[in-house]
Amino acid sequence: MPMIPRFHLAVPVDDLDAARHFYGELIGCAQGRSSDTWIDWNLHGHQFVTHLAPARTERVHNPVDGHDVPVPHFGLILTIPEFHDLADRFRAAGTGFVIEPYLRFEGLPGEQWTMFLLDPAGNALEFKAFADDAQVFAAG
């Protein structure tokens, strides 16, 4: 299977120490280079950067499956065991969910577990896990 290109994503945060705890300790990302205003993270092989930027923009939500999905959002597609392990770590840490972990499209193409939460700076994240990874791009 060919290697999937790695992405680079930079997001604003208002507290680098909170970002270190959330992304480094809770999610388990290895920290790379950093300065007084940014931190590079290894997000499952992708270059993810938190930049110090105290001002936040207005939040937007779109209705999906009866939930208000925060936009923009980003995240990872994990295996089902990784998904449930991460959900358990979030629960144990007292992390609040925007949308609690649940199973979408059960028995249909694209069946997946999904959860949404905010990092300490208010960036929306979605983590998901597909029953069949070959259906990541399945059309309904």
Side-chain angles (χ1 to χ4, degrees):
M1 185 170 169
M3 182 177 166
I4 296 173
R6 293 172 289 176
F7 69 75
H8 165 82
L9 176 66
V11 300
V13 299
D14 56 5
D15 183 331
L16 288 177
D17 288 332
R20 274 190 187 89
H21 173 75
F22 185 82
Y23 290 102
E25 295 175 31
L26 191 55
I27 294 180
C29 298
Q31 183 176 322
R33 294 168 297 174
S34 67
S35 79
D36 291 343
T37 59
W38 56 269
I39 303 170
D40 278 346
W41 301 98
N42 179 344
L43 184 65
H44 285 250
H46 303 284
Q47 187 186 39
F48 175 69
V49 186
T50 49
H51 282 272
L52 189 58
R56 297 294 303 156
T57 59
E58 179 182 343
R59 288 200 173 93
V60 177
H61 294 84
N62 281 336
V64 178
D65 295 340
H67 297 280
D68 286 330
V69 171
V71 178
H73 65 264
F74 67 95
L76 292 174
I77 299 172
L78 305 168
T79 65
I80 290 174
E82 289 171 328
F83 174 90
H84 289 293
D85 179 59
L86 184 57
D88 290 344
R89 289 200 316 265
F90 286 139
R91 285 185 186 107
T95 304
F97 292 96
V98 173
I99 299 173
E100 292 276 342
Y102 77 103
L103 185 61
R104 302 176 69 188
F105 310 125
E106 188 170 6
L108 300 172
E111 178 178 314
Q112 63 190 265
W113 284 94
T114 186
M115 62 179 151
F116 286 83
L117 58 133
L118 302 177
D119 75 3
N123 294 300
L125 294 96
E126 177 184 16
F127 295 94
K128 54 174 64 181
F130 284 81
D132 177 359
D133 200 56
Q135 293 187 347
V136 169
F137 298 106

